[in-house]
Amino acid sequence: MIDQSPLLRVVDIGKEFIERRFLFIRNRVQAIRSVSFSLNPGETIAIVGEAGSGKSTLARILAGVVAPTHGEIRVNGDLIGPGDYQRRCQQIRMIFQDPNSSLNPRLRIGRILEAPLILNSDLTPEERAHKVQETLRMVGLLPEHALFYPQMISAGQKQRVALARALILSPSIIVADDTFSMLDLSVRSQIVNLLLKLQEELKIAYVIVANDLGLVRHISDKVIVMHQGEVVESGATEHVIQAPQHDVTKRLIQSYGHEYRAER
C-alpha cells in the first residue's frame, strides 16, 4: 500500500503574545489562531495576507524561531517539538527576508555555510569544504565565493548565499519569509527560476510568505489567506485567485488586478 501521509502536517497551530501596556497591566494578543494545513513533497504553499495578518509569525513558528502556544508540526509523521532544534534544522530550513541582516558581515561566506554542518553533521573538515563548494555551485555561485565576505557581493548573490545556507543540510522543506520583496524584478525572476529548478531536481517543498500575488500565482500550488491570525480562505492557487470567496482575498486580488490584466 502506498503511504499517502503528507510530508508536512500543521495541526491547530496558535500563538499568543503578552504585551505589557503599563507596569501591572498586560494585554494578550492572539497572533495566530488555530491554523492547520498539509504539504506534500515537491509542492509549494503560499501564505498571503494584509500587514499584521500573522503570516510571518506562522513562518517563524514553522522554522522554530518562535515557539507556538499550542498545536503541533509533523514532518513525515514525526512530531517536531519546539526544543527539537537539530532534527528541525535537518528537515526545515528558513530563508529570511533581508540577507543583509541575516548574514554575519564578519564571517566569510564559506564559514557561514559551514556552521550548520559543524553543528548538525559528523562530516570531516574536508567533507564540509566539499559540501560548501557543491552547494555554492548548486545556487549558481562559484566555489571562490566561499572566500568572500557578504558585503563584497551583490544583493542577488547574497540571496543565493541565503538559499545555499538553507540547502546545506539537504532539508525536505524550505520556508521563505517574504524573500523576494527587496530584489529588483530581474534578480527576483532569476531567484524564482532557481527555486523552481531546485524543487524539480530535489523534490523540496516550499512554504512561501509573499505579498506579490503575481509571484504567488506563478510559483505556488496552494495558497492560504490569513487575516488577523486566522485562515479565511485556502485551496489550489488558481482556484482561489479565479474565484475568491472572502473579502480579504478579493481586496488582495484587486490590489494586483493590473498584473492579472497584463498577463491576459
Side-chain angles (χ1 to χ4, degrees):
M1 180 180 293
I2 298 175
D3 184 6
Q4 298 297 324
S5 62
L7 168 64
L8 173 67
R9 186 183 293 278
V10 175
V11 182
D12 191 33
I13 283 290
K15 180 62 183 178
E16 181 180 88
F17 290 104
I18 306 296
E19 288 185 346
R20 179 170 289 181
R21 292 283 182 93
F22 301 101
L23 185 59
F24 300 108
I25 300 176
R26 294 183 178 183
N27 186 38
R28 296 179 181 272
V29 178
Q30 291 287 341
I32 302 288
R33 303 170 185 265
S34 190
V35 173
S36 299
F37 65 88
S38 63
L39 190 62
N40 295 316
E43 278 190 336
T44 298
I45 188 168
I47 306 171
V48 303
E50 298 166 325
S53 62
K55 55 187 187 294
S56 288
T57 300
L58 178 56
R60 285 166 166 75
I61 289 173
L62 294 175
V65 179
V66 174
T69 305
H70 61 76
E72 62 180 38
I73 298 169
R74 292 184 178 272
V75 178
N76 289 320
D78 296 327
L79 182 65
I80 305 291
D84 196 352
Y85 298 116
Q86 186 171 32
R87 194 148 59 103
R88 187 189 297 266
C89 281
Q90 293 171 341
Q91 297 281 2
I92 307 174
R93 300 286 287 166
M94 187 168 189
I95 308 173
F96 293 94
Q97 180 180 18
D98 183 9
N100 291 310
S101 59
S102 64
L103 300 177
N104 190 334
R106 297 183 178 87
L107 295 180
R108 295 182 190 270
I109 288 167
R111 181 63 177 172
I112 291 171
L113 298 184
E114 187 185 24
L117 296 173
I118 293 173
L119 294 172
N120 298 283
S121 79
D122 297 322
L123 298 179
T124 66
E126 293 77 15
E127 290 170 333
R128 292 198 300 267
H130 176 73
K131 181 69 172 178
V132 167
Q133 292 182 358
E134 181 184 70
T135 308
L136 284 170
R137 289 192 185 96
M138 191 183 298
V139 300
L141 295 173
L142 299 173
E144 290 76 14
H145 280 111
L147 303 176
F148 288 28
Y149 290 95
Q151 60 269 29
M152 297 168 64
I153 60 178
S154 69
Q157 289 173 322
K158 288 177 187 176
Q159 203 59 273
R160 289 174 187 265
V161 172
L163 174 57
R165 184 172 59 181
L167 288 167
I168 198 77
L169 294 176
S170 302
S172 304
I173 303 154
I174 289 180
V175 180
D177 183 14
D178 205 10
T179 302
F180 314 100
S181 62
M182 300 185 70
L183 302 174
D184 63 49
L185 288 176
S186 63
V187 175
R188 186 187 308 175
S189 177
Q190 293 172 14
I191 297 297
V192 168
N193 288 335
L194 175 59
L195 287 172
L196 293 172
K197 176 176 177 287
L198 291 169
Q199 185 174 53
E200 183 177 355
E201 293 174 354
L202 305 174
K203 301 305 178 186
I204 300 170
Y206 294 131
V207 179
I208 305 290
V209 175
N211 294 313
D212 185 339
L213 290 192
L215 171 67
V216 166
R217 189 181 193 185
H218 176 62
I219 199 173
S220 68
D221 303 291
K222 300 187 288 190
V223 62
I224 61 177
V225 183
M226 296 191 65
H227 178 64
Q228 296 183 350
E230 295 182 292
V231 175
V232 295
E233 190 163 357
S234 64
T237 301
E238 195 63 25
H239 176 74
V240 170
I241 288 176
Q242 292 290 348
Q245 301 299 307
H246 197 277
D247 288 344
V248 170
T249 313
K250 292 175 183 177
R251 284 199 301 270
L252 290 171
I253 292 173
Q254 188 175 15
S255 298
Y256 289 89
H258 63 284
E259 294 187 16
Y260 301 132
R261 287 193 293 270
E263 286 179 9
R264 296 189 183 108

